[in-house]
Amino acid sequence: YMQGVRALCDEYGILMIADEVMCGFGRTGELFGFQNFPGVIPDMFTFAKGVSGAFQPLSGVGMTDKIFDFYRTNAPAYGSTYSGHPIPVACGYAVVKYILENDIPGHAKKMEATLAEGLARLVATHKSAKQARVIGLAGGVDIAGLDGSSLMQMHQTHPAVGYFKNRLKEEGLITLVRGHHMHCTPPLIISESEITTGIDILDKCFGDLDAFLEKDSS
C-alpha cells in the first residue's frame, strides 16, 4: 500500500508527507514508521512526542535536500515565540542519543511478538474484543458489541465503554480509549513480564465488559 502511495506521488508530482508524530522514534520497531516499508522515502515528515520523550515540548519537520534547498533561499515569513528554545532542544538531543545508543527501536521490535500474541488471545477469548493490530509497540484493539460489530462510531459514546474505562482504571492500567478503539502503546522500555501483566489485566476487564454487555442486552 505505502509503496503504491509513493508511486502515485511520483507519477503525479505530489509531495508525500509522512506524519511521524505518534510513530516516530522507535514506536513501530524502526526509528521512523515509514522505514517499515522498503523503498518508501517521504519528501517530508513531521515529528514530535517521542523526540523528547514528552519531557519537553519539541517538534520538527524533516525533508529531502531538494525541498530544503528551496528554503535556503526562500525563507518563509514565519516566527514562533519559543521556536528553537535551548532547553527542549537539549532534552531532544539527550533523548535521541539514548534511543540510538540503547537501540530502543530494536527493543520495540523484539517485544512485538509478545504484545501481538497477548492481544490475539483477547480477541480469541472475548466477544467484546473484535480485532487487534500490532506493529512494534504500537497496538490497538477494536471494541465490539455481542454481534461482532463495532460498539459505536469513533465520535460517539456508549455506557459500556465508560464502564470498561473505569474497570481499567480500577485495575491500575492506563490507556487511551477513543470511540470503539483502545490504544495499546506501552512505554518503549517495557519488559515481556510487564506486557504479560498488562494483558492479564485487559483479559479480566474485557471479561467484565462481556458480562456487562450480556446483562445490558437481557
Side-chain angles (χ1 to χ4, degrees), residues 106-182:
H107 178 72
K109 182 171 289 186
K110 183 180 178 181
M111 294 295 104
E112 178 180 327
T114 302
L115 181 59
E117 290 168 7
L119 296 185
R121 176 162 61 90
L122 297 178
V123 172
T125 305
H126 302 288
K127 291 182 178 179
S128 55
K130 182 180 181 181
Q131 60 182 356
R133 298 170 295 282
V134 179
I135 180 171
L137 283 173
V141 178
D142 292 328
I143 302 172
L146 297 178
D147 61 355
S149 62
S150 296
L151 202 55
M152 75 287 202
Q153 298 302 314
M154 286 302 295
H155 300 292
Q156 295 177 330
T157 59
H158 194 287
V161 173
Y163 169 79
F164 181 62
K165 292 166 69 173
N166 285 333
R167 286 294 296 119
L168 290 173
K169 182 179 179 181
E170 291 168 357
E171 294 294 332
L173 185 66
I174 299 174
T175 187
L176 172 64
V177 179
R178 179 179 296 168
H180 60 261
H181 183 75
M182 182 194 73

Side-chain angles (χ1 to χ4, degrees), residues 19-188:
D19 180 356
E20 294 281 350
V21 170
M22 290 188 69
C23 54
F25 296 95
R27 173 59 61 185
T28 67
E30 298 287 350
L31 189 61
F32 295 105
F34 66 79
Q35 292 176 304
N36 289 282
F37 309 98
V40 175
I41 304 296
D43 299 294
M44 303 176 73
F45 66 93
T46 59
F47 62 87
K49 296 187 179 182
V51 68
S52 67
F55 291 112
Q56 288 284 324
L58 184 64
S59 63
V61 180
M63 63 194 73
T64 63
D65 282 337
K66 180 179 179 181
I67 295 175
F68 193 56
D69 283 343
F70 172 82
Y71 288 110
R72 285 189 174 100
T73 55
N74 297 272
Y78 171 78
S80 176
T81 303
Y82 300 108
S83 178
H85 194 287
I87 293 178
V89 172
C91 177
Y93 174 80
V95 169
V96 173
K97 182 179 179 181
Y98 183 90
I99 288 172
L100 296 176
E101 291 181 347
N102 293 274
D103 191 19
I104 297 302
H107 178 72
K109 182 171 289 186
K110 183 180 178 181
M111 294 295 104
E112 178 180 327
T114 302
L115 181 59
E117 290 168 7
L119 296 185
R121 176 162 61 90
L122 297 178
V123 172
T125 305
H126 302 288
K127 291 182 178 179
S128 55
K130 182 180 181 181
Q131 60 182 356
R133 298 170 295 282
V134 179
I135 180 171
L137 283 173
V141 178
D142 292 328
I143 302 172
L146 297 178
D147 61 355
S149 62
S150 296
L151 202 55
M152 75 287 202
Q153 298 302 314
M154 286 302 295
H155 300 292
Q156 295 177 330
T157 59
H158 194 287
V161 173
Y163 169 79
F164 181 62
K165 292 166 69 173
N166 285 333
R167 286 294 296 119
L168 290 173
K169 182 179 179 181
E170 291 168 357
E171 294 294 332
L173 185 66
I174 299 174
T175 187
L176 172 64
V177 179
R178 179 179 296 168
H180 60 261
H181 183 75
M182 182 194 73
H183 291 246
C184 194
T185 51
L188 298 183

